[in-house]
């Protein structure tokens, strides 16, 4: 088997030809369905769509076509934890809610009490079932990151403080949740506070199409207090109920792919990336491409800074070993060929540069027009 055409590739990975053409079109590349794909283009598509490569052999430029994993078969899929993103206005209690569920105290140790980056945690419910939570920053400057959080989520918890009601970032969160087209659960927080008016929040949210069950809608509203640990059990049960109906599954028996939630440069440890595995299993020494960064995993830690050797689907982990710092929202894949990994990472950097150049040029054109 030699190189594949766009159409052949699309059918092999279970995508439509239009999806593939659109991907190239968005990069300013006009392709047609009969054109042959280069190895680099296949690698880029793998990164974009999260395709995986078969695990048995080593991936090389020569065998990339054979190694490309076809779409998962139903029998390969096993249950995975639901991925739940907590969104809401600044200070409405997102971090406190998570802290209460995992008995940690992150909120108190945060600089200025504002969540700076997306934190991700797995909580084990009393039934033994796991839930993955993503805590998104509430500050307006982080709108971009928050929108990315929504892309990697199965369920959104919209948190609204009962003493404050719907605020600008509540509205933004509603928009993001709606765009992500995932179930929404409303957690009306701070019900312990004097002056809290949870019923008012219910009525306010009707204007945004979020209608509580008792008003004839289908949105679960849970009244509680993150601080006083009220409503948390009901919240987790609601999440697990939805997750049973939706039956979230993934194939753990292949190379991992997923998304970067946050990354930064640590003075002593180098590039550190907090990532979420969406498919496959991530293991020590795996060669990862994440946006423009690549490298073999030297070390992996869970949310409690404990070393882990593996990360299965829906697991958030912190990884060490990348050669540079990827961006939040970048996708990652694993491939066991370092040369390929480097090439694909470099192609991502070039692409980003070209896009920046293009937007700069567009800006200049606009400026010129304004002067005419
Ligand atoms: P950002 O990350 O900055 O967007 O804020 P956040 O939504 O994570 O809010 P955070 O959890 O940091 O809580 C903000 C403040 O509200 C803190 O002082 C909390 O102690 C307080 N708080 C959170 N939940 C409750 C609650 O249920 N009741 C009361 N009384 N206070 C709460
Ligand atoms: Mg916070």
């Amino acid at each position: 088997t030699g190189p594949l055409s766009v159409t052949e590739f699309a059918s092999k990975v279970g995508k439509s030809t239009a999806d593939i053409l659109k991907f190239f079109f968005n990069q300013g590349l006009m392709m047609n369905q009969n054109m042959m794909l280069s190895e680099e283009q296949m690698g880029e598509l793998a990164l974009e769509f999260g395709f995986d490569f078969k695990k048995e052999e080593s991936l090389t430029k020569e065998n990339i076509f054979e190694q490309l994993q076809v779409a998962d078969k139903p029998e390969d899929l096993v249950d995975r934890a639901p991925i739940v993103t907590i969104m809401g206005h600044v200070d409405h209690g997102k971090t406190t809610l998570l802290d209460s569920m995992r008995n940690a105290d992150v909120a108190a140790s945060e600089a200025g009490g504002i969540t700076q980056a997306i934190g991700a945690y797995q909580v084990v419910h009393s039934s033994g079932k796991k839930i993955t939570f993503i805590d998104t920053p509430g500050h307006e400057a982080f709108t971009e990151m928050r929108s990315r959080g929504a892309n990697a989520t199965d369920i959104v918890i919209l948190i609204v403080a009962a003493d404050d009601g719907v605020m600008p970032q509540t509205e933004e969160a509603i928009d993001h949740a709606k765009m992500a087209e995932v179930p929404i659960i409303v957690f009306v927080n701070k019900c312990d506070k004097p002056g809290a008016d949870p019923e008012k929040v219910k009525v306010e949210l009707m204007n945004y199409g979020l209608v509580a069950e008792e008003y004839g809608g289908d949105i679960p509203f849970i009244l509680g207090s993150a601080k006083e640990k009220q409503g948390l059990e009901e919240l987790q049960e609601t999440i697990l109920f939805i997750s049973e109906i939706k039956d979230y599954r993934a194939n753990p028996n292949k190379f991992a792919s997923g998304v970067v939630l946050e990354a930064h440069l640590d003075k002593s440890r180098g590039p550190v990336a907090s990532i979420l595995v969406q498919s496959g299993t991530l293991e020590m020494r795996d060669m990862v491409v994440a946006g423009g960064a690549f490298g073999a995993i030297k070390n992996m830690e869970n949310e409690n800074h404990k070393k882990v050797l593996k990360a299965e689907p829906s697991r958030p982990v912190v990884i060490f070993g990348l050669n540079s710092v990827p961006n939040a929202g970048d996708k990652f894949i694993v491939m066991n060929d370092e040369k390929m990994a480097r090439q694909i990472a470099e192609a991502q950097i070039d692409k980003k540069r070209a896009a920046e150049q293009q937007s700069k040029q567009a800006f200049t054109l606009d400026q010129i027009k304004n002067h005419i």
Side-chain angles (χ1 to χ4, degrees):
T1 45
L4 300 176
S5 71
V6 171
T7 304
E8 287 163 342
F9 178 87
S11 75
K12 185 160 172 148
V13 298
K15 284 272 159 195
S16 76
T17 305
D19 284 338
I20 311 287
L21 294 178
K22 201 163 91 191
F23 169 75
F24 288 112
F25 180 81
N26 287 338
Q27 292 178 43
L29 207 62
M30 294 299 276
M31 301 269 291
N32 72 49
Q33 71 239 45
N34 299 321
M35 283 178 168
M36 293 294 168
L37 292 166
S38 72
E39 290 86 350
E40 283 79 11
Q41 285 171 332
M42 302 239 320
E44 282 182 54
L45 286 168
L47 188 61
E48 173 67 19
F49 293 108
F51 301 140
D52 306 276
F53 297 96
K54 283 183 197 154
K55 214 162 178 174
E56 301 87 51
E57 290 162 62
S58 131
L59 181 80
T60 64
K61 231 179 141 146
E62 286 67 45
N63 72 5
I64 181 167
F65 300 106
E66 290 87 65
Q67 289 295 305
L68 194 71
Q69 178 89 39
V70 290
D72 293 320
K73 293 188 217 68
E75 61 264 32
D76 295 333
L77 302 176
V78 301
D79 285 344
R80 61 169 179 84
I83 300 164
V84 182
T85 302
I86 305 182
M87 293 182 172
H89 193 70
V90 65
D91 275 355
H92 278 196
K94 298 175 289 297
T95 304
T96 308
L97 179 64
L98 255 178
D99 284 354
S100 301
M101 283 188 287
R102 58 189 285 260
N103 293 317
D105 203 353
V106 177
S109 65
E110 282 175 350
I114 292 181
T115 302
Q116 296 289 342
I118 294 180
Y121 313 91
Q122 221 169 42
V123 167
V124 184
H125 179 250
S126 51
S127 67
K129 293 196 170 114
K130 289 174 182 161
I131 304 172
T132 299
F133 286 102
I134 300 176
D135 177 19
T136 63
H139 201 269
E140 217 150 358
F142 298 111
T143 303
E144 171 73 353
M145 233 199 259
R146 192 168 48 228
S147 67
R148 285 169 164 170
N151 290 336
T153 199
D154 299 313
I155 297 170
V156 168
I157 296 177
L158 181 70
I159 185 166
V160 186
D163 60 334
D164 212 13
V166 174
M167 298 300 279
Q169 284 155 25
T170 313
E171 290 181 27
E172 268 177 46
I174 295 169
D175 287 344
H176 288 314
K178 284 186 174 163
M179 269 192 292
E181 294 181 324
V182 295
I184 300 173
I185 300 171
V186 177
F187 188 79
V188 185
N189 192 31
K190 306 200 187 184
C191 289
D192 61 294
K193 276 183 116 174
D197 192 350
E199 286 309 313
K200 191 173 151 230
V201 174
K202 277 190 193 170
V203 173
E204 273 187 307
L205 282 174
M206 277 207 261
N207 296 327
Y208 299 88
L210 300 179
V211 184
E213 279 149 357
E214 68 260 41
Y215 288 118
D218 60 355
I219 303 287
F221 272 69
I222 293 152
L223 311 190
S225 160
K227 204 171 166 188
E228 303 298 326
K229 299 195 189 221
Q230 284 158 9
L232 307 190
E233 179 61 26
E234 192 186 346
L235 179 62
Q236 293 190 14
E237 275 169 12
T238 307
I239 291 166
L240 292 173
F241 178 72
I242 292 174
S243 134
E244 220 148 87
I245 293 168
K246 294 276 181 182
D247 198 19
Y248 303 116
R249 284 166 179 265
N251 177 1
N253 295 313
K254 57 182 186 180
F255 281 135
S257 60
V259 65
V260 176
L261 297 173
E262 185 272 338
H264 64 271
L265 189 65
D266 183 271
K267 268 190 222 117
S268 56
R269 305 188 73 179
V272 183
S274 159
I275 61 163
L276 178 69
V277 176
Q278 292 172 301
S279 185
T281 300
L282 191 64
E283 291 178 46
M284 287 292 284
R285 286 182 290 280
D286 273 348
M287 178 59 63
V288 172
V289 183
F294 75 98
I297 295 186
K298 278 197 302 216
N299 203 359
M300 253 195 294
E301 287 178 1
N302 68 12
E303 56 271 47
N304 302 317
H305 307 290
K306 291 232 169 68
K307 191 181 169 84
V308 290
L309 300 175
K310 271 174 194 241
E312 69 285 3
S314 292
R315 195 151 227 319
V317 274
V318 178
I319 60 167
F320 302 85
L322 294 175
N323 71 329
S324 64
V325 180
N327 292 317
D330 278 344
K331 291 176 182 150
F332 81 83
I333 53 170
V334 169
M335 48 173 52
N336 56 9
D337 183 273
E338 184 173 348
K339 242 165 86 188
M340 271 294 291
R342 180 192 300 274
Q343 271 175 4
I344 292 169
E346 280 168 2
Q348 301 304 306
I349 295 172
D350 290 345
K351 218 163 67 181
K352 210 165 278 169
R353 215 171 277 150
E356 276 167 14
Q357 203 63 33
Q358 219 166 28
S359 70
K360 231 186 260 165
Q361 275 167 4
F363 185 57
T364 332
L365 266 179
D366 271 349
Q367 283 176 323
I368 293 168
K369 271 189 216 142
N370 286 340
H371 278 279
I372 294 171

